[in-house]
């Protein structure tokens, strides 16, 4: 099913080595700058983000650490959500199109599953996410009414990094 939805996704990546954004030898699953859900502490996450983006661009509040990086090399913003002094999950957004589905597929391979808008929207059947549960990675896409399924030139809005999960048991969902 995935290969049917992902037409033309073997094009050459234009954004460099995207896999290195999410994968580190230091992490068991996906991570951001070495910050790993369920492993990294709140203090470690703050220290890493301040070093990467500057103290003035990182804000720690109850249960969240946010950053806003705006430079010519890496324009992104995001949140690290914490609980009991541990990183729970990480969300990263790109205000301008930075990469496309074809770049992700080229670097990461086909996802295990895709998310689609089924109802309640003007963009029915447009792809909304690529899921890589074995490494805890969800790539969020910009749904567009000109796409059915997921298209190779569809824009990536950002991503969510969780600890790895089993197929069909997405974190935060009730499986009972």
């Amino acid at each position: 099913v995935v290969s049917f939805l992902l037409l033309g996704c073997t094009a050459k990546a234009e954004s460099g080595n995207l896999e290195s954004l999410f994968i580190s030898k230091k992490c068991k699953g996906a991570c951001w700058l070495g910050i790993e859900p369920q492993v990294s502490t709140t203090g470690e996450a703050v220290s890493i983000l301040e070093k990467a983006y500057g103290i003035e661009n990182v804000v720690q509040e109850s249960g969240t650490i946010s950053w806003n990086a705006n430079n010519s090399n890496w324009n992104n913003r995001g949140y690290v959500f914490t609980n009991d002094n541990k990183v729970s999950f990480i969300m990263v957004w790109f205000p301008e199109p930075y990469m496309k589905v074809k770049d992700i597929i080229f670097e990461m391979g086909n996802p295990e599953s895709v998310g689609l808008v089924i109802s309640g929207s003007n963009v029915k059947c447009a792809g909304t996410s690529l899921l890589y549960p074995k490494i805890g990675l969800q790539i969020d896409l910009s749904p567009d009414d000109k796409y059915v399924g997921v298209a190779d030139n569809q824009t990536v809005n950002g991503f969510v990094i969780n600890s790895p999960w089993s197929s069909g048991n997405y974190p935060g969902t009730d499986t009972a």
Side-chain angles (χ1 to χ4, degrees):
V1 174
V2 171
S3 58
F4 172 76
L5 293 171
L6 301 173
L7 302 173
C9 290
T10 57
K12 185 176 180 184
E14 298 173 355
S15 299
N17 187 357
L18 298 175
E19 185 175 13
S20 66
L21 289 177
F22 314 116
I23 307 298
S24 168
K25 291 179 182 178
K26 298 177 185 176
C27 303
K28 294 177 184 172
C31 58
W32 181 252
L33 303 174
I35 302 169
E36 185 176 6
Q38 306 307 319
V39 175
S40 299
T41 66
T42 301
E44 291 167 339
V46 168
S47 178
I48 290 168
L49 292 169
E50 286 178 346
K51 186 175 180 181
Y53 301 116
I55 294 172
E56 68 281 2
N57 294 317
V58 177
V59 176
Q60 182 178 1
E61 297 176 341
S62 177
T64 63
I65 308 162
S66 62
W67 73 89
N68 191 356
N70 188 8
N71 63 50
S72 59
N73 295 327
W74 192 243
N75 187 10
N76 67 77
R77 62 186 171 89
Y79 294 91
V80 172
F81 292 87
T82 62
N83 188 21
D84 293 331
N85 199 35
K86 287 279 187 194
V87 171
S88 298
F89 64 99
I90 304 162
M91 300 174 79
V92 180
W93 291 279
F94 304 102
E96 297 178 17
Y98 178 74
M99 59 187 98
K100 300 199 181 273
V101 166
K102 65 183 175 182
D103 301 325
I104 298 293
I105 300 297
F106 180 81
E107 292 290 335
M108 304 297 295
N110 282 337
E112 187 169 314
S113 59
V114 297
L116 300 173
V117 175
I118 302 300
S119 63
S121 170
N122 293 331
V123 291
K124 289 183 172 90
C125 294
T128 59
S129 59
L130 307 177
L131 300 175
Y132 297 87
K134 291 177 184 162
I135 62 168
L137 182 62
Q138 172 185 319
I139 307 292
D140 291 329
L141 309 176
S142 177
D144 190 320
D145 60 3
K146 64 184 172 188
Y147 302 127
V148 174
V150 177
D152 65 339
N153 60 347
Q154 196 168 349
T155 303
V156 172
N157 281 345
F159 49 88
V160 178
I161 300 172
N162 280 290
S163 46
W165 70 88
S166 355
S167 180
N169 188 22
Y170 186 77
T173 60
D174 185 3
T175 59

